[in-house]
Amino acid sequence: MSAADSTVRLLLLAALSGEHILYIGPPGTAKSELGRRLSRLCHGVYFERLLTRFSVPEELFGPLSMRALEEDKYIRQTSGYLPEATVAFVDEIFKANSAILNTLLTLLNERLFDNGSTRVHVPLLCLVGASNELPESEELDALYDRFLLRRRVQQVSQAGLLEMLGNGGGRKQAIALRSPGTQGLQSVDDPAVQPLLTADDFDHTRERALDAVEVPPSVLQLIADLRTYLQASAAPAGNCLLDKCEPPVYVSDRRLVKAVALMQVAAYTSGRSRVSEYDCLLLRHILWQRPDEAERIYDWLLNNLASDDGLQQLQFILNGMFGRACKNLGNPEATAMLVKEVGDVRETLVNKLAGVYSAMEGGFPAVMGNLWLGQEEAQAVASALLPKLEKSRKEVEDLLFEVVTLEVLLRHQAEAVVIADLMPARWADWVRNAPAEQLRPYGGANIRPAKGMWY
């Protein structure tokens, strides 16, 4: 069940990143079971509560201490309640009223709880929130923003339903992890089994990832362009893929900073030292305010991951260098300087082509081997991107061939007739646009290449 596969992966990623996750969907879709299983995996203290419009702070944060009240102190007994939980599941989270909201916001974001006059740190690793519907009042916007990952959950598919009913709704399956190189499942509740993830992994993975993983400028630019697309009434000039997002989607600075950190965790746990542009696919679970916006984000990412705006810039650069080459024929000093510039462009294109081949080689490993994409989700992404990457590969190869041709011609100080024969399209374009005085050495404006002949 791909949807369930992706849902579980996002839950684990949220916990490793120290973030909270929100599930939105109808009752009976195992949202609470996800929280319980995460708690068992973390071997932590678990807290679960269903909120209603009549819920009071005592239900989440613990009752007031009667003995403390006798001493004029306002202290809660937090044992067994949210302030002492490692993993928590709160159903109908948006039923939280104003009496609960402020304390909950501080606890979620800063991991701090004010108990009387003392502010204490809470061990909360991840809060799994659930709701049947989106928040409707503005006072809940801050709470909604605390959930970095958001996931729409549905009923299982027909095939998944048969599997679920066949194993008793999942009761026949132990909470388990598959060890690399072994067969079968191992129960994490079995003390004889060494768990694949320890408390140390959950406590320190984010910190280690932030120190060890680089975020390249191309990824940062992609994220910035996506927010511009989501928030602006029209995208910047030059973005011809999608003009605008209607209605605009607000994305807070805090969400973007946390999103980058989460992608660093995704890269680190995948054994990489750099965030890949394909890690940005996780943004479809982060930046939306309403579920239908997730598909718009997904479509934008697919279009922009496969596009190469830098190739168009290199085309302009090659045009300029070709014009300078024609203008400086017979000038060895100018030609030598130009050879170096053409070589730099060649090296850039070789690296770009290597990146395209690396992405496509072996069935798109950058996507199919991504730890945080479900199998069917990864297959859908690969199917969408591969044809576009194939087109990009052909464009890079064609441009590289022209650049290498120009470099060889310059190194051998070729004459104009040879340049015109080997690069007829560039030559014709230059002839069409060059000033008349530049064309006089070659016979004036009437010159044109045609099948190796000059007229």
Side-chain angles (χ1 to χ4, degrees):
M1 292 179 287
S2 175
D5 182 21
S6 298
T7 300
V8 171
R9 289 171 191 260
L10 290 175
L11 174 64
L12 183 56
L13 180 58
L16 288 169
S17 304
E19 296 293 348
H20 311 298
I21 187 168
L22 175 68
Y23 293 122
I24 299 176
T29 49
K31 297 188 291 291
S32 60
E33 182 63 20
L34 289 169
R36 297 188 194 104
R37 294 198 175 196
L38 176 61
S39 176
R40 294 172 67 183
L41 182 64
C42 299
H43 300 279
V45 177
Y46 181 65
F47 174 81
E48 180 177 325
R49 192 67 78 239
L50 168 66
L51 296 185
T52 71
R53 67 184 67 181
F54 305 109
S55 293
V56 293
E58 284 74 14
E59 296 180 44
L60 286 178
F61 311 120
L64 293 172
S65 168
M66 296 296 102
R67 181 174 299 176
L69 284 175
E70 293 176 357
E71 301 175 3
D72 295 329
K73 295 180 181 179
Y74 196 84
I75 297 176
R76 295 189 181 277
Q77 296 177 331
T78 57
S79 178
Y81 290 87
L82 181 57
E84 297 192 12
T86 308
V87 175
F89 174 78
V90 180
D91 202 359
E92 292 303 323
I93 184 76
F94 298 123
K95 294 290 195 300
N97 52 48
S98 57
I100 293 173
L101 198 55
N102 288 339
T103 301
L104 189 58
L105 290 175
T106 303
L107 191 145
L108 291 179
N109 198 52
E110 284 83 20
R111 302 300 204 281
L112 297 172
F113 175 68
D114 293 321
N115 197 3
S117 60
T118 304
R119 172 164 282 195
V120 297
H121 180 80
V122 301
L124 184 65
L125 174 69
C126 177
L127 186 139
V128 181
S131 177
N132 299 331
E133 56 192 14
L134 294 171
E136 296 181 354
S137 63
E138 291 185 1
E139 68 177 4
L140 294 171
D141 287 349
L143 176 59
Y144 189 36
D145 197 53
R146 293 301 192 272
F147 293 96
L148 183 64
L149 287 162
R150 299 163 178 170
R151 176 76 175 177
R152 184 78 176 264
V153 293
Q154 306 283 359
Q155 291 181 305
V156 297
S157 63
Q158 183 69 17
L161 177 63
L162 296 176
E163 180 183 346
M164 181 182 70
L165 295 176
N167 64 35
R171 287 187 295 273
K172 293 181 181 180
Q173 295 177 338
I175 308 298
L177 294 172
R178 185 181 296 277
S179 294
T182 63
Q183 299 294 324
L185 296 174
Q186 297 177 322
S187 170
V188 299
D189 294 328
D190 184 351
V193 174
Q194 183 69 28
L196 294 180
L197 292 171
T198 65
D200 180 72
D201 293 319
F202 288 103
D203 291 339
H204 300 293
T205 292
R206 175 189 168 94
E207 177 184 342
R208 292 166 183 162
L210 295 182
D211 289 338
V213 177
E214 175 190 357
V215 185
S218 59
V219 171
L220 297 177
Q221 187 61 55
L222 187 67
I223 296 171
D225 289 345
L226 175 54
R227 184 165 84 159
T228 299
Y229 160 69
L230 290 173
Q231 291 193 171
S233 57
N239 186 346
C240 58
L241 297 174
L242 290 172
D243 292 330
K244 58 185 178 179
C245 178
E246 288 291 350
V249 179
Y250 174 73
V251 181
S252 69
D253 294 342
R254 176 173 56 203
R255 292 193 75 75
L256 285 186
V257 171
K258 289 192 171 189
V260 171
L262 182 133
M263 287 191 292
Q264 288 178 275
V265 172
Y268 179 77
T269 51
S270 299
R272 291 184 275 114
S273 60
R274 284 171 59 94
V275 173
S276 163
E277 292 184 357
Y278 300 107
D279 290 321
C280 292
L281 289 165
L282 291 167
L283 296 174
R284 71 182 294 201
H285 306 296
I286 295 174
L287 300 186
W288 57 267
Q289 298 293 332
R290 310 193 73 80
D292 63 293
E293 295 161 358
E295 288 307 308
R296 298 188 213 171
I297 294 170
Y298 179 65
D299 291 340
W300 188 95
L301 286 168
L302 289 182
N303 279 320
N304 284 268
L305 284 171
S307 69
D308 194 341
D309 296 335
L311 199 60
Q312 185 177 11
Q313 183 180 4
L314 290 172
Q315 285 277 12
F316 292 139
I317 291 174
L318 179 58
N319 267 337
M321 291 190 301
F322 185 86
R324 288 164 54 202
C326 295
K327 180 180 177 181
N328 290 286
L329 286 176
N331 184 339
E333 184 177 344
T335 299
M337 293 178 59
L338 196 53
V339 166
K340 183 180 184 306
E341 294 180 33
V342 174
D344 291 340
V345 173
R346 170 180 48 78
E347 185 176 346
T348 298
L349 285 168
V350 168
N351 292 335
K352 189 180 291 289
L353 187 60
V356 175
Y357 274 118
S358 176
M360 298 173 61
E361 186 179 3
F364 214 158
V367 171
M368 296 305 298
N370 192 308
L371 183 63
W372 303 109
L373 294 177
Q375 183 176 3
E376 289 187 18
E377 183 182 8
Q379 185 61 60
V381 171
S383 298
L385 288 181
L386 278 173
K388 299 177 181 179
L389 284 174
E390 181 64 31
K391 179 182 177 182
S392 179
R393 178 196 63 78
K394 179 66 166 56
E395 292 174 347
V396 173
E397 285 181 342
D398 290 345
L399 186 58
L400 179 59
F401 179 80
E402 286 194 277
V403 168
V404 171
T405 301
L406 179 60
E407 185 178 15
V408 171
L409 291 171
L410 290 172
R411 287 185 182 279
H412 289 81
Q413 299 184 18
E415 297 180 355
V417 63
V418 179
I419 295 176
D421 282 344
L422 294 181
M423 303 184 71
R426 298 279 176 186
W427 177 266
D429 185 63
W430 178 71
V431 167
R432 190 180 307 113
N433 297 293
E437 59 270 17
Q438 291 185 14
L439 300 177
R440 288 194 188 99
Y442 314 112
N446 294 324
I447 60 171
R448 62 185 186 278
K451 297 182 180 179
M453 300 295 293
W454 275 63
Y455 296 83

